[in-house]
Amino acid sequence: MLKTILDFPQPGIRFLDITPFLLDPVEVKKAIEALSTEVEKVSNGDQVVVIGPEARGFIFGGMVAAHLGMPFFMLRKEGKLPNDGSQVSFSATKEYGSSKFVVNMNDLDELKAKGICKVVILDDILATGNTVLAIADFFKEHGFEVLLVMNLIEITALKGNELFVNNGYATYSYIKQ
């Protein structure tokens, strides 16, 4: 279901390719239903926005949000979003580099104006957890309640889940390996 590619994108990294998983619509449907169930459990019927970090978080976050009829927020990497004058950036360090994300704060203000102040973050793979922790902390610092951090796959040997537990965030992973 998953393909491991050694030494990509740099020596010593085991890259998990989710392409074989995505080619199986039955498995994708099961995953979206399971992830959606977890969002429903924490939302208690409240308005929630699903956040998906670029790029593969777009896939699963968008599908879960659509499945539940919830708004979806694409968290973009630097240089991928026009600046409307309210842009804020933050960095996240991962096991093989770093990512810089940007948010147009007017978009977040619009969510708050609609009374949507609760978020669920959904990414594809939880490795060390540093990237998604930076995302969770950013949204928390800007007045959002982070209900849940979810991942399609968790690489348990890297203990990224502990990072979230130690920082007070609830987590869920569909596949643990």
Side-chain angles (χ1 to χ4, degrees):
M1 178 170 14
L2 301 170
K3 183 173 26 174
T4 301
I5 301 168
L6 299 177
D7 298 322
F8 182 82
Q10 67 186 41
I13 300 297
R14 292 177 59 233
F15 181 84
L16 285 179
D17 183 3
I18 62 170
T19 303
F21 178 84
L22 290 170
L23 292 173
D24 186 338
V26 172
E27 287 301 316
V28 171
K29 183 176 180 180
K30 283 194 248 181
I32 297 308
E33 288 172 354
L35 293 164
S36 296
T37 297
E38 294 302 315
V39 174
E40 288 175 320
K41 285 180 188 175
V42 299
S43 70
N44 294 320
D46 292 338
Q47 286 269 37
V48 174
V49 64
V50 178
I51 299 169
E54 191 166 342
R56 294 180 297 183
F58 289 2
I59 298 167
F60 300 102
M63 284 194 275
V64 167
H67 182 76
L68 294 172
M70 294 180 171
F72 175 66
F73 187 87
M74 295 187 306
L75 185 57
R76 302 303 306 264
K77 290 184 179 172
E78 185 177 45
K80 305 284 183 162
L81 188 65
N83 190 346
D84 68 357
S86 71
Q87 199 167 88
V88 172
S89 64
F90 65 97
S91 295
T93 304
K94 51 184 159 186
E95 62 275 17
Y96 55 85
S98 64
S99 295
K100 192 166 194 176
F101 293 98
V102 295
V103 174
N104 284 344
M105 295 305 291
N106 289 339
D107 296 333
L108 298 186
D109 291 341
E110 187 177 318
L111 286 170
K112 287 180 185 177
K114 293 177 182 177
I116 305 172
C117 297
K118 296 180 180 185
V119 301
V120 169
I121 303 166
L122 176 50
D123 205 3
D124 63 333
I125 297 173
L126 172 60
T128 61
N130 292 319
T131 299
V132 178
L133 179 63
I135 294 166
D137 287 347
F138 174 85
F139 279 89
K140 184 177 178 183
E141 289 167 9
H142 287 89
F144 289 85
E145 181 182 354
V146 179
L147 299 177
L148 185 63
V149 174
M150 297 193 310
N151 303 279
L152 176 68
I153 303 156
E154 177 182 338
I155 304 170
T156 58
L158 295 178
K159 302 182 187 300
N161 190 52
E162 292 177 11
L163 189 61
F164 295 107
V165 172
N166 293 340
N167 283 281
Y169 294 112
T171 65
Y172 172 80
S173 297
Y174 177 66
I175 298 169
K176 293 185 180 190
Q177 86 170 40

